[in-house]
């Protein structure tokens, strides 16, 4: 699975009368939407029609799948909107904002609530610059070694991801190689690029049990549809 989203966290609004039952605005949950995914946060209360909401956005896209020596892509936030009956009055800092890999930005939203007493959800949409993303459609992953070709089962990958995003593909080496073989190099079809492997190459297949290698692959800067061919040398 290819992760396609950084982590988003929220902060509850506070006020003098936060615990009053008759708050003018009682948001039961804040739904944050980013690149097709929704994350629910705790609710907020406000006695005033206009209130502020701080949302720290951390770019940890794919970090749980990558070794420390590989840096993921930055994320550009170019639009933030709220769904009715709310209205977004102001955003700080001004957009667009680039959030570097493993960095964090805090967005302060100034929001106007409905003219009547309200209780229910608040939806906040984070827009990602479409020019910074690509559509990847991999129909099949095919392994090649010494004239032998093996297609991985259920290897289809369809995803939107950041340009040059690095993703991980695990391969059971005994699917394509044999006990005693030595793997010196891994090649891949363009426009993809092998960035690193875990374990590092060369690898000698000197164990009889499972031998899995993780290949860290850099996605292209353009959308792609086709197969992923991995050659073991």
């Amino acid at each position: 699975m290819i992760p396609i989203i950084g982590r988003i966290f929220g902060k509850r609004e506070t006020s003098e009368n936060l615990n009053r039952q008759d708050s003018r605005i009682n948001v039961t949950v804040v739904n944050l939407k980013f690149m097709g995914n929704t994350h629910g946060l705790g609710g907020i209360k406000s006695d005033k029609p206009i209130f502020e909401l701080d949302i720290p956005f951390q770019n940890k896209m794919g970090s749980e799948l990558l070794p420390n020596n590989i840096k993921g892509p930055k994320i550009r936030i170019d639009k933030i909107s709220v769904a009715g009956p709310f209205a977004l009055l102001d955003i700080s800092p001004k957009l667009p904002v680039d959030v570097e890999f493993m960095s964090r930005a805090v967005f302060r939203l100034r929001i106007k609530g409905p003219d009547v007493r309200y209780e229910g959800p608040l939806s906040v949409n984070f827009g990602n610059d479409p020019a910074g993303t690509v559509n990847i459609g991999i129909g099949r992953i095919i392994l090649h070694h010494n004239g032998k070709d093996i297609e991985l089962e259920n290897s289809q990958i369809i995803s939107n991801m950041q340009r040059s995003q690095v993703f991980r593909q695990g391969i059971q080496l005994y699917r394509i190689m044999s006990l005693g073989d030595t793997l010196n190099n891994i090649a891949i079809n363009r426009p993809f690029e092998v960035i690193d492997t875990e374990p590092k190459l060369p690898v000698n297949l000197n164990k009889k049990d499972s031998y899995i290698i993780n290949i860290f692959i850099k996605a292209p800067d353009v959308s792609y549809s086709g197969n992923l061919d991995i050659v073991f040398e």
Side-chain angles (χ1 to χ4, degrees), residues 149-212:
D149 305 314
I150 295 291
E151 179 182 342
L152 294 184
E153 300 90 351
N154 303 316
S155 57
Q156 185 182 61
I157 298 174
I158 299 176
S159 178
N160 291 326
M161 61 182 67
Q162 297 292 115
R163 293 177 183 270
S164 301
Q165 179 176 329
V166 178
F167 62 95
R168 182 180 68 180
Q169 178 64 51
I171 300 292
Q172 166 56 262
L173 285 179
Y174 284 130
R175 293 294 310 278
I176 192 68
M177 301 181 70
S178 302
L179 179 66
D181 286 348
T182 298
L183 175 60
N184 294 297
N185 184 56
I186 296 177
I188 200 167
N189 60 297
R190 293 290 182 180
F192 296 93
E193 180 182 351
V194 174
I195 299 297
D196 203 355
T197 65
E198 192 177 72
K200 303 285 188 182
L201 300 180
V203 171
N204 180 255
L205 277 68
N206 53 10
K207 300 185 300 183
K208 291 184 178 181
D209 54 352
S210 175
Y211 211 127
I212 295 177

Side-chain angles (χ1 to χ4, degrees), residues 64-76:
E64 68 276 11
L65 300 177
L66 302 180
N68 293 332
N69 63 311
I70 295 181
K71 183 178 179 181
K74 66 183 178 183
I75 294 176
R76 167 162 288 195

Side-chain angles (χ1 to χ4, degrees), residues 7 10-11 42 49 81 90 99 101 118-119 127 133 145 160 170 173 186 189 192 202 207 211 217-218 225 230:
R7 243 175 238 179
K11 175 183 177 182
S81 62
D90 191 38
V99 185
F101 184 63
Y118 176 85
E119 181 172 357
T133 62
H145 176 67
N160 291 326
L173 285 179
I186 296 177
N189 60 297
F192 296 93
K207 300 185 300 183
Y211 211 127
I217 302 170
K218 183 179 179 180
S225 179
I230 305 176

Side-chain angles (χ1 to χ4, degrees), residues 33-105:
K33 299 180 179 181
F34 179 71
M35 291 184 71
N37 293 271
T38 301
H39 299 262
L41 304 175
I44 61 173
K45 292 183 180 181
S46 175
D47 290 325
K48 300 178 181 179
I50 296 176
F51 58 96
E52 291 183 339
L53 176 65
D54 286 349
I55 303 180
F57 180 99
Q58 189 170 19
N59 177 8
K60 299 183 71 174
M61 181 177 292
S63 60
E64 68 276 11
L65 300 177
L66 302 180
N68 293 332
N69 63 311
I70 295 181
K71 183 178 179 181
K74 66 183 178 183
I75 294 176
R76 167 162 288 195
I77 302 299
D78 67 338
K79 182 180 180 181
I80 298 177
S81 62
V82 298
F86 295 91
L88 183 58
L89 302 179
D90 191 38
I91 305 171
S92 178
K94 298 297 183 183
L95 303 181
V97 172
D98 289 331
V99 185
E100 298 292 338
F101 184 63
M102 299 303 292
S103 296
R104 190 178 82 157

Side-chain angles (χ1 to χ4, degrees), residues 10-25:
K11 175 183 177 182
R12 295 184 181 182
E13 180 69 15
T14 59
S15 68
E16 295 178 345
N17 303 312
L18 182 62
N19 295 319
R20 284 178 51 182
Q21 297 300 313
D22 60 348
S23 296
R24 177 188 177 115
I25 296 173

